[in-house]
Amino acid sequence: MFDAKTFLARVPQQPGVYRMFNQAGTVIYVGKAKDLKKRLSSYFRLQVDSIKTRALVSQIANVEFILTHSETEALILENNLIKQHLPKYNVLLRDDKSYPYILITDHKHPRISSHRGPRKLAGQYFGPYPNAGAVWQSLKTLQKIFPIRQCEDGFYRARTRPCLQYQLKLCSAPCVGKISDADYAEQVRLAALFLAGKNQQVIDDLVQKMAAASDSWQFEAAATYRDQISALRRVQEQQHVSGEHEELDAIGFSLQGQTAVVHVLFIRDRKILGSKSFYPKVPPETDASEVLAAFVLQFYLSGHSDQHIPTEIVLPQALNDEDAVAAAISKMAEQKVRFTYAKRGEKAQYLALAQKNAEIALDSRQSLAQKMRLRYASLQQLLSLAEPISRMECFDISHTMGQATIASCVVFDGEGPFKQEYRRYNITGITGGDDYAAMRFALDKRYSKLTDTSKIPDIVFIDGGLGQLNIALEQFKDWPHAKKPLLIGVAKGEGRKAGLETLILWDSGRSLNLPEDTPALHLVQQIRDEAHRFAITGHRNKRGKALIKSPLENIAGVGEKRRQALLQYLGGLQGVMKASVAELCTVPGISKQQAEKIYQACHNK
């Protein structure tokens, strides 16, 4: 038992962060306080109303605290420790993805492109956008209005004549001088203004240019400006959701049980760039205010170097320790950030839109969760299992005529796909096309060195018939652990049609053909299809790399510089493939011994 009285006697009345550990030494909760003694004492009172707090206290074996200079520092440190330890009783936001921007580079002829990651390249950045789809849609629109190059620098430098983009009027071909530097720079300036939300200013500038071109009888140029104005007006009509506020985030929030959805609406440059829903992990018996506060802290203190924090955040309800939270976020953003709770006007409309999206996302997620629970219960009943299914794994093999063989293993936990545990295996050392040997290789890789018994599945599905299932049976013959998975083969039906699958149970040897509307069959189809998708995606990637891989890359002693010399002096890869040993020796840096190796490699000798 944790001696709370002795511990509290040495806790100071200062701001700081505390970590709670269980008997195994695992951090189960991280918290912060303006007054550590007062906050920690509240956990160990005789009467504690919160069920969550009582469950937490019952597992405490040790508590450690770290003093800070201020509550703001405590908030930042708390966020860092939560990300480090992922405690069981904290609300966790698992969103490590960066956000994409649109970048206009700082070149003689600037390039406009998508950018993700640290903003190290010189140029103008616009965003962030909630996802890559929003960026590509904006780039597609920009390309039709402003013919600015989007090609890579290497492609741009190598051009001697215009590419297809010029013929399609999607690029003005500055690479070969089809547009003057001044005119190209003007197009870049207008595109930057457009991305900054100053559509009307861009239209006004183009109207003046069209009039000037028309007055000087440059009718072709005037027609080009006219087309740009028309395209901009169409875009302006489509962007009906726009307003007066330069930048803000509107946050919608909905919680039911342990399912929470936070929907963030990104408003930048007076228009909605997009939105994104987040699903934080919520411990049992956690109140809504704690979930929302935890999300705001973790989302804005995540430390993403590419995440721009707006000056205003519109929230659906007040936060605990609001001033301290705002101060911590302002310190991270290096600018003043304020929270508002809009009741009317444009901000209230943004908030209502975010709230509606959060509620719809919550309903959708709960509906999917209910459907998944029904499928799990149906499968448990079908297989007469005493305990609920907590983990399933499924294996599949993918190859093309025995080449680039890949095995996949997908994992479903009690709630559905658990993608962090998905694995692919490159199959080596077998005869091409031998699916039995490939399955044996994958199962051996997966289970031969398994030490964590918590990861032993309740069911292992094998995508295949009795032959593949017998291979799995051989692998589990000398299974060393007390818990042994149930092995089930999933044989394709006649014509490989969905709904005609046959389940083969190795323990009883019986086969099951389930009705098409059985929830258990839908679950088996889902995990089988997911294994197939994961395997074939890996196989296609491997096959694609093999197709574009140069035969020179596998030759010992021939590095990148020698490969470049060979290609340059012999006129490309075809020249190298046709060259004799004597011709290979003429390349600088290539000895006769290396030339013989290269010749043999190119002719498969």
Side-chain angles (χ1 to χ4, degrees), residues 23-77:
Q23 194 67 40
T26 303
V27 177
I28 57 175
Y29 188 76
V30 174
K32 58 93 181 84
K34 183 189 290 188
D35 185 327
L36 280 171
K37 191 177 188 71
K38 185 177 179 180
R39 181 71 183 97
L40 287 169
S41 298
S42 67
Y43 286 98
F44 303 103
R45 294 176 300 183
L46 293 177
Q47 296 294 329
V48 178
D49 296 332
S50 171
I51 298 175
K52 174 190 171 183
T53 303
R54 290 201 298 268
L56 170 64
V57 171
S58 68
Q59 298 186 42
I60 294 174
N62 187 30
V63 180
E64 294 180 357
F65 59 84
I66 303 171
L67 298 179
T68 59
H69 292 100
S70 65
E71 191 178 3
T72 300
E73 287 185 11
L75 280 166
I76 296 172
L77 178 57

Short mmCIF file of all heavy atoms in Angstrom, two decimals, residues 23-77:
data_model
loop_
_atom_site.label_atom_id
_atom_site.label_comp_id
_atom_site.label_asym_id
_atom_site.label_seq_id
_atom_site.Cartn_x
_atom_site.Cartn_y
_atom_site.Cartn_z
N GLN A 23 2.47 -0.82 -9.50
CA GLN A 23 3.41 -1.75 -8.87
C GLN A 23 4.53 -2.18 -9.82
O GLN A 23 5.65 -2.45 -9.41
CB GLN A 23 2.66 -3.00 -8.37
CG GLN A 23 3.45 -3.86 -7.40
CD GLN A 23 3.72 -3.16 -6.08
OE1 GLN A 23 2.86 -2.46 -5.55
NE2 GLN A 23 4.93 -3.32 -5.54
N ALA A 24 4.21 -2.23 -11.12
CA ALA A 24 5.21 -2.64 -12.12
C ALA A 24 6.15 -1.50 -12.52
O ALA A 24 7.05 -1.70 -13.33
CB ALA A 24 4.49 -3.17 -13.36
N GLY A 25 5.95 -0.32 -11.95
CA GLY A 25 6.80 0.82 -12.29
C GLY A 25 6.38 1.56 -13.54
O GLY A 25 7.13 2.38 -14.07
N THR A 26 5.17 1.29 -14.02
CA THR A 26 4.65 1.95 -15.22
C THR A 26 3.92 3.23 -14.84
O THR A 26 3.15 3.25 -13.87
CB THR A 26 3.69 1.02 -15.98
OG1 THR A 26 4.38 -0.19 -16.30
CG2 THR A 26 3.19 1.66 -17.26
N VAL A 27 4.16 4.28 -15.59
CA VAL A 27 3.45 5.54 -15.34
C VAL A 27 1.99 5.37 -15.77
O VAL A 27 1.70 5.04 -16.92
CB VAL A 27 4.09 6.70 -16.13
CG1 VAL A 27 3.30 7.99 -15.92
CG2 VAL A 27 5.53 6.90 -15.71
N ILE A 28 1.08 5.59 -14.83
CA ILE A 28 -0.35 5.43 -15.14
C ILE A 28 -1.09 6.76 -15.21
O ILE A 28 -2.21 6.82 -15.71
CB ILE A 28 -1.04 4.49 -14.12
CG1 ILE A 28 -0.86 5.03 -12.68
CG2 ILE A 28 -0.52 3.08 -14.25
CD1 ILE A 28 -1.62 4.21 -11.64
N TYR A 29 -0.46 7.83 -14.71
CA TYR A 29 -1.11 9.14 -14.81
C TYR A 29 -0.07 10.24 -14.66
O TYR A 29 0.87 10.13 -13.87
CB TYR A 29 -2.18 9.32 -13.73
CG TYR A 29 -3.02 10.57 -13.91
CD1 TYR A 29 -4.01 10.63 -14.87
CD2 TYR A 29 -2.79 11.70 -13.13
CE1 TYR A 29 -4.77 11.78 -15.07
CE2 TYR A 29 -3.55 12.86 -13.31
CZ TYR A 29 -4.53 12.89 -14.28
OH TYR A 29 -5.27 14.03 -14.48
N VAL A 30 -0.25 11.28 -15.46
CA VAL A 30 0.59 12.49 -15.37
C VAL A 30 -0.35 13.67 -15.19
O VAL A 30 -1.34 13.81 -15.92
CB VAL A 30 1.45 12.68 -16.63
CG1 VAL A 30 2.19 14.01 -16.57
CG2 VAL A 30 2.45 11.54 -16.79
N GLY A 31 -0.04 14.53 -14.21
CA GLY A 31 -0.88 15.70 -13.97
C GLY A 31 -0.03 16.91 -13.64
O GLY A 31 1.17 16.80 -13.38
N LYS A 32 -0.66 18.08 -13.63
CA LYS A 32 0.03 19.31 -13.26
C LYS A 32 -0.81 20.05 -12.22
O LYS A 32 -2.01 19.78 -12.06
CB LYS A 32 0.27 20.19 -14.48
CG LYS A 32 -0.99 20.59 -15.24
CD LYS A 32 -1.54 21.93 -14.77
CE LYS A 32 -2.80 22.32 -15.52
NZ LYS A 32 -4.02 21.73 -14.99
N ALA A 33 -0.20 20.97 -11.50
CA ALA A 33 -0.93 21.71 -10.46
C ALA A 33 -0.25 23.04 -10.19
O ALA A 33 0.97 23.16 -10.28
CB ALA A 33 -1.00 20.88 -9.18
N LYS A 34 -1.08 24.01 -9.85
CA LYS A 34 -0.53 25.28 -9.39
C LYS A 34 0.00 25.13 -7.97
O LYS A 34 1.00 25.74 -7.59
CB LYS A 34 -1.63 26.36 -9.42
CG LYS A 34 -1.14 27.75 -9.01
CD LYS A 34 -2.30 28.72 -8.85
CE LYS A 34 -2.93 29.06 -10.17
NZ LYS A 34 -3.93 30.15 -10.04
N ASP A 35 -0.65 24.26 -7.19
CA ASP A 35 -0.24 23.94 -5.82
C ASP A 35 -0.19 22.42 -5.71
O ASP A 35 -1.23 21.76 -5.60
CB ASP A 35 -1.24 24.55 -4.82
CG ASP A 35 -0.82 24.36 -3.37
OD1 ASP A 35 -0.19 23.33 -3.06
OD2 ASP A 35 -1.15 25.23 -2.54
N LEU A 36 1.00 21.85 -5.75
CA LEU A 36 1.15 20.40 -5.76
C LEU A 36 0.55 19.75 -4.51
O LEU A 36 -0.12 18.73 -4.59
CB LEU A 36 2.63 20.02 -5.88
CG LEU A 36 3.24 20.06 -7.28
CD1 LEU A 36 4.74 19.88 -7.21
CD2 LEU A 36 2.63 19.00 -8.18
N LYS A 37 0.78 20.35 -3.37
CA LYS A 37 0.31 19.74 -2.11
C LYS A 37 -1.22 19.68 -2.08
O LYS A 37 -1.81 18.65 -1.73
CB LYS A 37 0.82 20.54 -0.91
CG LYS A 37 0.60 19.84 0.42
CD LYS A 37 1.19 20.65 1.56
CE LYS A 37 1.15 19.86 2.86
NZ LYS A 37 2.10 18.74 2.86
N LYS A 38 -1.85 20.77 -2.49
CA LYS A 38 -3.30 20.81 -2.47
C LYS A 38 -3.89 19.82 -3.48
O LYS A 38 -4.85 19.11 -3.19
CB LYS A 38 -3.76 22.23 -2.79
CG LYS A 38 -5.27 22.44 -2.70
CD LYS A 38 -5.61 23.91 -2.96
CE LYS A 38 -7.12 24.12 -2.88
NZ LYS A 38 -7.47 25.55 -3.14
N ARG A 39 -3.28 19.77 -4.67
CA ARG A 39 -3.82 18.89 -5.71
C ARG A 39 -3.62 17.42 -5.35
O ARG A 39 -4.54 16.62 -5.48
CB ARG A 39 -3.10 19.19 -7.05
CG ARG A 39 -3.62 18.32 -8.21
CD ARG A 39 -5.00 18.75 -8.61
NE ARG A 39 -5.57 17.93 -9.67
CZ ARG A 39 -6.39 16.91 -9.47
NH1 ARG A 39 -6.76 16.61 -8.23
NH2 ARG A 39 -6.88 16.23 -10.47
N LEU A 40 -2.45 17.04 -4.91
CA LEU A 40 -2.18 15.64 -4.59
C LEU A 40 -2.97 15.18 -3.37
O LEU A 40 -3.37 14.02 -3.27
CB LEU A 40 -0.68 15.43 -4.39
CG LEU A 40 0.16 15.45 -5.68
CD1 LEU A 40 1.65 15.51 -5.37
CD2 LEU A 40 -0.15 14.23 -6.54
N SER A 41 -3.19 16.09 -2.43
CA SER A 41 -3.98 15.73 -1.24
C SER A 41 -5.40 15.34 -1.60
O SER A 41 -6.03 14.50 -0.94
CB SER A 41 -4.00 16.89 -0.25
OG SER A 41 -2.69 17.19 0.21
N SER A 42 -5.93 15.94 -2.71
CA SER A 42 -7.31 15.66 -3.10
C SER A 42 -7.50 14.21 -3.54
O SER A 42 -8.62 13.69 -3.51
CB SER A 42 -7.74 16.60 -4.23
OG SER A 42 -7.01 16.33 -5.42
N TYR A 43 -6.42 13.54 -3.96
CA TYR A 43 -6.53 12.15 -4.39
C TYR A 43 -6.72 11.19 -3.21
O TYR A 43 -7.30 10.12 -3.37
CB TYR A 43 -5.27 11.72 -5.17
CG TYR A 43 -5.18 12.29 -6.56
CD1 TYR A 43 -4.40 13.43 -6.81
CD2 TYR A 43 -5.86 11.70 -7.63
CE1 TYR A 43 -4.29 13.95 -8.08
CE2 TYR A 43 -5.75 12.23 -8.90
CZ TYR A 43 -4.97 13.35 -9.13
OH TYR A 43 -4.88 13.87 -10.39
N PHE A 44 -6.21 11.58 -2.05
CA PHE A 44 -6.14 10.63 -0.93
C PHE A 44 -7.09 10.99 0.22
O PHE A 44 -6.86 10.63 1.37
CB PHE A 44 -4.69 10.57 -0.41
CG PHE A 44 -3.70 10.16 -1.48
CD1 PHE A 44 -2.89 11.12 -2.09
CD2 PHE A 44 -3.62 8.85 -1.89
CE1 PHE A 44 -2.00 10.76 -3.08
CE2 PHE A 44 -2.72 8.48 -2.89
CZ PHE A 44 -1.91 9.43 -3.47
N ARG A 45 -8.16 11.72 -0.12
CA ARG A 45 -9.18 11.99 0.88
C ARG A 45 -9.98 10.71 1.18
O ARG A 45 -10.00 9.77 0.39
CB ARG A 45 -10.13 13.08 0.39
CG ARG A 45 -9.48 14.45 0.23
CD ARG A 45 -10.45 15.44 -0.35
NE ARG A 45 -10.92 15.02 -1.67
CZ ARG A 45 -11.75 15.73 -2.43
NH1 ARG A 45 -12.22 16.88 -1.97
NH2 ARG A 45 -12.12 15.28 -3.61
N LEU A 46 -10.66 10.71 2.31
CA LEU A 46 -11.44 9.53 2.69
C LEU A 46 -12.62 9.33 1.74
O LEU A 46 -12.99 8.20 1.41
CB LEU A 46 -11.94 9.67 4.13
CG LEU A 46 -10.85 9.65 5.22
CD1 LEU A 46 -11.47 9.87 6.58
CD2 LEU A 46 -10.09 8.33 5.18
N GLN A 47 -13.24 10.43 1.33
CA GLN A 47 -14.39 10.35 0.42
C GLN A 47 -14.00 10.97 -0.92
O GLN A 47 -13.76 12.17 -1.02
CB GLN A 47 -15.59 11.10 1.01
CG GLN A 47 -16.11 10.50 2.31
CD GLN A 47 -16.70 9.10 2.09
OE1 GLN A 47 -17.23 8.81 1.03
NE2 GLN A 47 -16.59 8.25 3.09
N VAL A 48 -13.93 10.12 -1.96
CA VAL A 48 -13.63 10.59 -3.32
C VAL A 48 -14.82 10.23 -4.19
O VAL A 48 -15.18 9.05 -4.32
CB VAL A 48 -12.34 9.94 -3.86
CG1 VAL A 48 -12.08 10.41 -5.29
CG2 VAL A 48 -11.15 10.28 -2.96
N ASP A 49 -15.44 11.24 -4.80
CA ASP A 49 -16.67 11.00 -5.57
C ASP A 49 -16.40 10.32 -6.91
O ASP A 49 -17.17 9.48 -7.35
CB ASP A 49 -17.39 12.33 -5.82
CG ASP A 49 -17.87 12.96 -4.51
OD1 ASP A 49 -18.11 12.20 -3.56
OD2 ASP A 49 -17.98 14.20 -4.46
N SER A 50 -15.31 10.67 -7.56
CA SER A 50 -15.06 10.17 -8.92
C SER A 50 -14.67 8.69 -8.91
O SER A 50 -13.73 8.28 -8.20
CB SER A 50 -13.95 10.99 -9.58
OG SER A 50 -13.56 10.41 -10.79
N ILE A 51 -15.37 7.90 -9.74
CA ILE A 51 -15.02 6.48 -9.88
C ILE A 51 -13.65 6.34 -10.52
O ILE A 51 -12.85 5.47 -10.14
CB ILE A 51 -16.09 5.76 -10.74
CG1 ILE A 51 -17.45 5.82 -10.06
CG2 ILE A 51 -15.70 4.31 -11.02
CD1 ILE A 51 -18.58 5.26 -10.90
N LYS A 52 -13.35 7.19 -11.49
CA LYS A 52 -12.05 7.14 -12.15
C LYS A 52 -10.92 7.39 -11.16
O LYS A 52 -9.90 6.69 -11.17
CB LYS A 52 -12.01 8.19 -13.28
CG LYS A 52 -10.64 8.31 -13.94
CD LYS A 52 -10.59 9.51 -14.86
CE LYS A 52 -9.17 9.75 -15.35
NZ LYS A 52 -9.05 10.96 -16.19
N THR A 53 -11.10 8.39 -10.30
CA THR A 53 -10.05 8.71 -9.31
C THR A 53 -9.86 7.57 -8.33
O THR A 53 -8.73 7.22 -7.97
CB THR A 53 -10.41 10.01 -8.56
OG1 THR A 53 -10.59 11.07 -9.50
CG2 THR A 53 -9.32 10.38 -7.59
N ARG A 54 -10.95 6.94 -7.90
CA ARG A 54 -10.82 5.81 -6.97
C ARG A 54 -10.07 4.64 -7.62
O ARG A 54 -9.23 4.00 -6.99
CB ARG A 54 -12.21 5.35 -6.51
CG ARG A 54 -12.92 6.34 -5.58
CD ARG A 54 -14.02 5.66 -4.76
NE ARG A 54 -15.06 5.11 -5.61
CZ ARG A 54 -16.17 5.76 -5.96
NH1 ARG A 54 -16.35 7.02 -5.54
NH2 ARG A 54 -17.09 5.20 -6.71
N ALA A 55 -10.37 4.38 -8.91
CA ALA A 55 -9.67 3.31 -9.62
C ALA A 55 -8.20 3.63 -9.77
O ALA A 55 -7.33 2.76 -9.63
CB ALA A 55 -10.31 3.09 -10.98
N LEU A 56 -7.90 4.90 -10.03
CA LEU A 56 -6.51 5.32 -10.17
C LEU A 56 -5.75 5.17 -8.87
O LEU A 56 -4.65 4.59 -8.83
CB LEU A 56 -6.48 6.78 -10.66
CG LEU A 56 -5.12 7.50 -10.64
CD1 LEU A 56 -4.15 6.82 -11.59
CD2 LEU A 56 -5.29 8.97 -11.03
N VAL A 57 -6.32 5.66 -7.79
CA VAL A 57 -5.65 5.63 -6.48
C VAL A 57 -5.39 4.20 -6.03
O VAL A 57 -4.36 3.89 -5.42
CB VAL A 57 -6.48 6.40 -5.43
CG1 VAL A 57 -5.92 6.19 -4.03
CG2 VAL A 57 -6.53 7.89 -5.78
N SER A 58 -6.31 3.28 -6.36
CA SER A 58 -6.14 1.89 -5.93
C SER A 58 -4.92 1.23 -6.57
O SER A 58 -4.43 0.21 -6.08
CB SER A 58 -7.39 1.09 -6.28
OG SER A 58 -7.53 0.96 -7.69
N GLN A 59 -4.41 1.80 -7.66
CA GLN A 59 -3.26 1.21 -8.35
C GLN A 59 -1.94 1.93 -8.08
O GLN A 59 -0.89 1.53 -8.56
CB GLN A 59 -3.51 1.18 -9.86
CG GLN A 59 -4.70 0.34 -10.27
CD GLN A 59 -4.81 0.22 -11.78
OE1 GLN A 59 -3.82 0.05 -12.48
NE2 GLN A 59 -6.02 0.34 -12.29
N ILE A 60 -1.99 3.03 -7.31
CA ILE A 60 -0.77 3.83 -7.08
C ILE A 60 0.19 3.08 -6.16
O ILE A 60 -0.18 2.65 -5.07
CB ILE A 60 -1.12 5.20 -6.48
CG1 ILE A 60 -1.92 6.04 -7.48
CG2 ILE A 60 0.15 5.95 -6.07
CD1 ILE A 60 -2.42 7.35 -6.92
N ALA A 61 1.44 2.94 -6.63
CA ALA A 61 2.49 2.36 -5.80
C ALA A 61 3.56 3.40 -5.47
O ALA A 61 4.30 3.25 -4.50
CB ALA A 61 3.13 1.16 -6.50
N ASN A 62 3.63 4.45 -6.28
CA ASN A 62 4.63 5.50 -6.05
C ASN A 62 4.20 6.76 -6.79
O ASN A 62 3.52 6.69 -7.81
CB ASN A 62 6.01 5.03 -6.55
CG ASN A 62 7.11 6.03 -6.19
OD1 ASN A 62 7.01 6.73 -5.17
ND2 ASN A 62 8.13 6.11 -7.01
N VAL A 63 4.60 7.91 -6.27
CA VAL A 63 4.33 9.20 -6.91
C VAL A 63 5.61 10.02 -6.90
O VAL A 63 6.29 10.11 -5.87
CB VAL A 63 3.20 9.97 -6.19
CG1 VAL A 63 2.95 11.31 -6.91
CG2 VAL A 63 1.92 9.16 -6.12
N GLU A 64 5.93 10.60 -8.04
CA GLU A 64 7.08 11.49 -8.14
C GLU A 64 6.60 12.84 -8.65
O GLU A 64 5.65 12.91 -9.43
CB GLU A 64 8.12 10.92 -9.10
CG GLU A 64 8.77 9.63 -8.62
CD GLU A 64 9.79 9.09 -9.61
OE1 GLU A 64 9.95 9.71 -10.70
OE2 GLU A 64 10.43 8.07 -9.31
N PHE A 65 7.25 13.92 -8.20
CA PHE A 65 6.85 15.24 -8.67
C PHE A 65 8.07 16.03 -9.10
O PHE A 65 9.21 15.76 -8.68
CB PHE A 65 6.07 16.00 -7.59
CG PHE A 65 6.81 16.21 -6.31
CD1 PHE A 65 7.69 17.29 -6.15
CD2 PHE A 65 6.64 15.34 -5.24
CE1 PHE A 65 8.36 17.49 -4.96
CE2 PHE A 65 7.32 15.54 -4.05
CZ PHE A 65 8.18 16.61 -3.91
N ILE A 66 7.84 16.98 -10.03
CA ILE A 66 8.88 17.88 -10.54
C ILE A 66 8.40 19.30 -10.35
O ILE A 66 7.31 19.67 -10.82
CB ILE A 66 9.16 17.61 -12.03
CG1 ILE A 66 9.54 16.15 -12.26
CG2 ILE A 66 10.25 18.53 -12.55
CD1 ILE A 66 9.62 15.77 -13.73
N LEU A 67 9.17 20.13 -9.68
CA LEU A 67 8.79 21.53 -9.46
C LEU A 67 9.09 22.37 -10.69
O LEU A 67 10.05 22.12 -11.41
CB LEU A 67 9.56 22.09 -8.26
CG LEU A 67 9.32 21.41 -6.90
CD1 LEU A 67 10.16 22.07 -5.83
CD2 LEU A 67 7.85 21.47 -6.53
N THR A 68 8.23 23.35 -10.94
CA THR A 68 8.43 24.29 -12.05
C THR A 68 8.32 25.71 -11.51
O THR A 68 7.83 25.93 -10.40
CB THR A 68 7.40 24.07 -13.17
OG1 THR A 68 6.08 24.26 -12.64
CG2 THR A 68 7.52 22.67 -13.75
N HIS A 69 8.74 26.67 -12.34
CA HIS A 69 8.69 28.06 -11.91
C HIS A 69 7.28 28.63 -11.98
O HIS A 69 6.96 29.59 -11.27
CB HIS A 69 9.63 28.92 -12.77
CG HIS A 69 11.08 28.62 -12.54
ND1 HIS A 69 11.81 27.82 -13.39
CD2 HIS A 69 11.92 28.99 -11.55
CE1 HIS A 69 13.04 27.72 -12.95
NE2 HIS A 69 13.14 28.42 -11.84
N SER A 70 6.45 28.09 -12.89
CA SER A 70 5.12 28.65 -13.08
C SER A 70 4.17 27.56 -13.54
O SER A 70 4.58 26.47 -13.93
CB SER A 70 5.16 29.78 -14.12
OG SER A 70 5.51 29.25 -15.39
N GLU A 71 2.89 27.89 -13.52
CA GLU A 71 1.89 26.95 -14.00
C GLU A 71 2.01 26.74 -15.51
O GLU A 71 1.74 25.65 -16.02
CB GLU A 71 0.49 27.47 -13.65
CG GLU A 71 -0.62 26.44 -13.87
CD GLU A 71 -1.98 26.95 -13.46
OE1 GLU A 71 -2.09 28.14 -13.06
OE2 GLU A 71 -2.95 26.17 -13.56
N THR A 72 2.45 27.78 -16.22
CA THR A 72 2.65 27.64 -17.67
C THR A 72 3.71 26.60 -17.97
O THR A 72 3.54 25.74 -18.84
CB THR A 72 3.04 29.00 -18.27
OG1 THR A 72 2.00 29.94 -18.04
CG2 THR A 72 3.28 28.88 -19.77
N GLU A 73 4.83 26.67 -17.27
CA GLU A 73 5.88 25.67 -17.45
C GLU A 73 5.38 24.28 -17.09
O GLU A 73 5.74 23.28 -17.73
CB GLU A 73 7.10 26.01 -16.59
CG GLU A 73 7.91 27.19 -17.10
CD GLU A 73 9.16 27.39 -16.28
OE1 GLU A 73 9.51 26.51 -15.46
OE2 GLU A 73 9.81 28.44 -16.44
N ALA A 74 4.54 24.19 -16.08
CA ALA A 74 3.99 22.89 -15.66
C ALA A 74 3.12 22.30 -16.77
O ALA A 74 3.17 21.09 -17.04
CB ALA A 74 3.18 23.05 -14.38
N LEU A 75 2.31 23.14 -17.44
CA LEU A 75 1.47 22.66 -18.53
C LEU A 75 2.30 22.09 -19.68
O LEU A 75 1.99 21.04 -20.23
CB LEU A 75 0.58 23.80 -19.04
CG LEU A 75 -0.66 24.12 -18.22
CD1 LEU A 75 -1.23 25.46 -18.65
CD2 LEU A 75 -1.70 23.04 -18.40
N ILE A 76 3.36 22.80 -20.04
CA ILE A 76 4.22 22.35 -21.14
C ILE A 76 4.93 21.06 -20.78
O ILE A 76 5.01 20.12 -21.59
CB ILE A 76 5.23 23.46 -21.52
CG1 ILE A 76 4.47 24.69 -22.05
CG2 ILE A 76 6.23 22.96 -22.55
CD1 ILE A 76 5.34 25.91 -22.28
N LEU A 77 5.44 20.98 -19.55
CA LEU A 77 6.12 19.76 -19.11
C LEU A 77 5.14 18.59 -19.03
O LEU A 77 5.47 17.45 -19.41
CB LEU A 77 6.78 20.00 -17.75
CG LEU A 77 7.50 18.79 -17.13
CD1 LEU A 77 8.57 18.26 -18.07
CD2 LEU A 77 8.10 19.16 -15.78
#
